[in-house]
Amino acid sequence: MILRNLVVFLSVIASFWASPAAAQNPLITNQFSADPSARVFNGRVYVYPSHDILATKGRGRLGWFCMEDYHVFSSANLTDWTDHGVIVTQNKVPWAKPDSYSMWAPDCIFRNGKYYFYFPTTPKDTTISKGFTVGVAVADKPTGPFVPQPLPIKGVRGIDPNVFIDKDGQAYLYWSQGNIYGAKLKENMLELASEPKTLGELPTKGLKEGPYMMERNGTYYLTYPHVENKIERLEYATGTSPLGPFKVQGVIMDEFTGCWTNHHSIIDFKNQWYLFYHHNDLSPNFDKARSIRLDSLFFEVNGNIRKVVPTLRGAGLTDAKQKIQLDRYSRLSSSGASIAFLDTANTFQGWKTEFANSQGWVQYNGVAFGKQALKTVTLRVQAAAGATVQLRADGPSGPVLALVTVPKGSQWQEVKAPLSAFRPGTHALLVAPKTNAPVAIDWVRFE
């Protein structure tokens, strides 16, 4: 039932682009997205994910990955994201098999005034490849329009293309097909300049895919998802050249319960490293419909990557004057508070925070209150028996910002209350009921 309702909802929104969204995980909440390839172009972050849709009869393979096009999203601050719409679609790629719904994980790079978008899919001509191969679409802007090349890259068989340009200007293409492969690219970025090389010294047990190459302080980091146990985790190996040899170093992110796959990219943006990855937040019962996420990444003094613990809060600051989704919390009480979908038949509506009693609380970090005094707060709230909700800055013992009296009512309502205090700058926001009656909150916004 949930899956069928999601299909109906997807058909309704298919023609709409995303409005700007706050930097909370998942980043995109009006469509499914996966395999995020993040890039920094001209001081702005662009993310090129694959686009999961739900297969129906005659449209993809039921119960499997189903992808027909690619979008690109961008942000100047990792907080406000904009969907620039579809950039490549399956039936407008000259060499691709029509209606194959196999537009899997892509990548994009800038070179010589052009943007090169690399994507895998199945060709209609099996003499090119009997499985997946990789093609290129070229544009003058990071948001397109992208023009697919007439033929895919000769000599590449596999999925998950990743492109890396070394400090000496040499470009490399990486991909996976059982193993992980790498090869040099020609200056035109459309042809291999060397024979594919199997990148060895990696684990031989369990699937490896989704390579992503990066360089930091002279060390080359080959990062990849790997099934060490039962589902994918993110790992990395290091070397002194782009094609190895590599030494396995450790785990970037542990297995993610509920989703068999993970796929990632890593960027340095404004002197902070970030890990983009995915989970099935918006489709907890079906892990072929995924959503992209973002968390900060750190290096140890010796160059090792510190393991990233996934969060709901994500990265970036949230403007106090925007809707603050408390359900994407930084901290949650061990009892008395929980997170649930607003509508299980339409998960794109997002989540709510449910308080069972006055023992529950939720804390949301990184709220930018600004310098100019804010005077009121509005809550979208539901409390059948009525409730009183308390808002504090900087945790449970911080100053009380407001006490909000919520009238009785079984329906959602927006309740406004005056602020009793204002703290300029960036603070954590703690919200908790002072009454024992159940209360649910969708969002909080200051004015």
Side-chain angles (χ1 to χ4, degrees):
M1 175 63 74
I2 292 175
L3 205 58
R4 185 166 65 249
N5 288 336
L6 278 172
V7 172
V8 172
F9 182 73
L10 275 171
S11 66
V12 173
I13 69 163
S15 62
F16 290 91
W17 294 3
S19 58
Q24 302 159 141
N25 286 327
L27 297 180
I28 309 303
T29 56
N30 76 339
Q31 62 187 268
F32 297 121
S33 54
D35 312 316
S37 175
R39 295 292 182 183
V40 180
F41 298 136
N42 299 318
R44 190 174 181 90
V45 176
Y46 292 83
V47 180
Y48 300 84
S50 52
H51 181 199
D52 289 338
I53 60 176
L54 300 177
T56 57
K57 188 175 181 180
R59 188 188 189 204
R61 173 182 163 189
L62 293 176
W64 190 241
F65 300 105
C66 185
M67 308 166 183
E68 64 181 345
D69 58 29
Y70 298 101
H71 287 237
V72 57
F73 302 85
S74 75
S75 174
N77 57 11
L78 300 180
T79 297
D80 304 301
W81 291 90
T82 300
D83 181 356
H84 298 280
V86 174
I87 56 172
V88 173
T89 189
Q90 61 179 4
N91 290 348
K92 292 186 178 180
V93 176
W95 55 268
K97 181 180 178 181
D99 298 322
S100 60
Y101 297 94
S102 57
M103 308 293 278
W104 287 17
D107 194 10
C108 189
I109 202 77
F110 174 77
R111 182 109 194 225
N112 296 332
K114 299 286 185 180
Y115 295 87
Y116 296 87
F117 180 75
Y118 297 79
F119 60 95
T121 192
T122 51
K124 56 187 174 184
D125 183 353
T126 56
T127 62
I128 294 175
S129 175
K130 293 183 179 179
F132 278 82
T133 188
V134 173
V136 190
V138 186
D140 294 324
K141 299 178 181 179
T143 56
F146 281 89
V147 178
Q149 297 299 294
L151 293 171
I153 301 175
K154 185 178 180 180
V156 177
R157 182 182 179 187
I159 59 173
D160 302 338
N162 165 241
V163 185
F164 170 74
I165 300 177
D166 203 1
K167 291 176 290 186
D168 63 2
Q170 177 62 58
Y172 296 82
L173 179 69
Y174 303 86
W175 66 95
S176 59
Q177 184 72 23
N179 291 304
I180 293 177
Y181 301 89
K184 292 181 178 181
L185 280 170
K186 291 184 178 180
E187 183 73 16
N188 64 14
M189 303 298 285
L190 305 175
E191 301 172 90
L192 296 186
S194 67
E195 289 296 316
K197 177 182 179 182
T198 302
L199 303 185
E201 304 86 43
L202 302 179
T204 56
K205 173 189 172 184
L207 176 68
K208 303 180 296 295
E209 57 179 357
Y212 186 87
M213 172 62 69
M214 52 168 285
E215 182 271 339
R216 177 180 179 271
N217 296 338
T219 298
Y220 296 85
Y221 292 77
L222 176 62
T223 66
Y224 52 91
H226 173 223
V227 183
E228 171 67 22
N229 296 308
K230 295 182 178 180
I231 61 177
E232 289 185 343
R233 69 185 188 186
L234 302 180
E235 300 179 1
Y236 74 105
T238 59
T240 56
S241 74
L243 294 177
F246 295 100
K247 179 181 179 182
V248 174
Q249 297 291 354
V251 176
I252 301 172
M253 178 176 282
D254 286 326
E255 293 90 342
F256 218 152
T257 302
C259 190
W260 192 88
T261 65
N262 202 348
H263 191 115
H264 68 295
S265 58
I266 299 171
I267 63 168
D268 179 6
F269 182 60
K270 296 182 179 179
N271 298 316
Q272 173 61 53
W273 290 88
Y274 295 97
L275 174 73
F276 289 76
Y277 60 103
H278 71 230
H279 191 48
N280 58 323
D281 297 86
L282 292 168
S283 178
N285 298 319
F286 183 62
D287 69 352
K288 308 301 184 292
R290 299 153 297 177
S291 298
I292 63 173
R293 284 171 157 239
L294 159 68
D295 275 298
S296 298
L297 179 144
F298 299 91
F299 289 86
E300 305 292 0
V301 175
N302 63 2
N304 288 347
I305 297 175
R306 187 183 307 169
K307 189 180 294 185
V308 177
V309 177
T311 74
L312 295 173
R313 176 60 185 88
L317 299 178
T318 298
D319 191 323
K321 298 184 290 294
Q322 293 181 339
K323 292 177 180 178
I324 302 168
Q325 303 289 346
L326 299 175
D327 48 76
R328 308 294 86 189
Y329 60 85
S330 302
R331 297 175 60 205
L332 189 72
S333 58
S334 59
S335 63
S338 59
I339 307 302
F341 283 114
L342 287 164
D343 183 353
T344 56
N346 178 4
T347 59
F348 292 130
Q349 287 194 12
W351 298 265
K352 59 185 174 182
T353 305
E354 296 183 324
F355 298 98
N357 50 51
S358 60
Q359 302 302 307
W361 54 266
V362 62
Q363 180 172 310
Y364 185 101
N365 293 348
V367 178
F369 286 88
K371 296 179 181 179
Q372 185 177 359
L374 302 173
K375 297 180 179 180
T376 63
V377 63
T378 300
L379 280 65
R380 186 171 189 261
V381 63
Q382 182 186 55
T388 300
V389 177
Q390 178 178 261
L391 287 75
R392 290 179 178 266
D394 301 320
S397 59
V400 176
L401 301 178
L403 284 176
V404 182
T405 301
V406 182
K408 296 180 181 179
S410 58
Q411 301 300 313
W412 286 99
Q413 53 186 317
E414 294 185 16
V415 179
K416 180 179 287 190
L419 293 188
S420 56
F422 172 73
R423 293 294 184 272
T426 300
H427 301 274
L429 174 66
L430 186 130
V431 178
K434 288 185 68 65
T435 47
N436 274 319
V439 57
I441 299 176
D442 183 4
W443 48 259
V444 174
R445 183 180 61 212
F446 294 86
E447 298 168 342

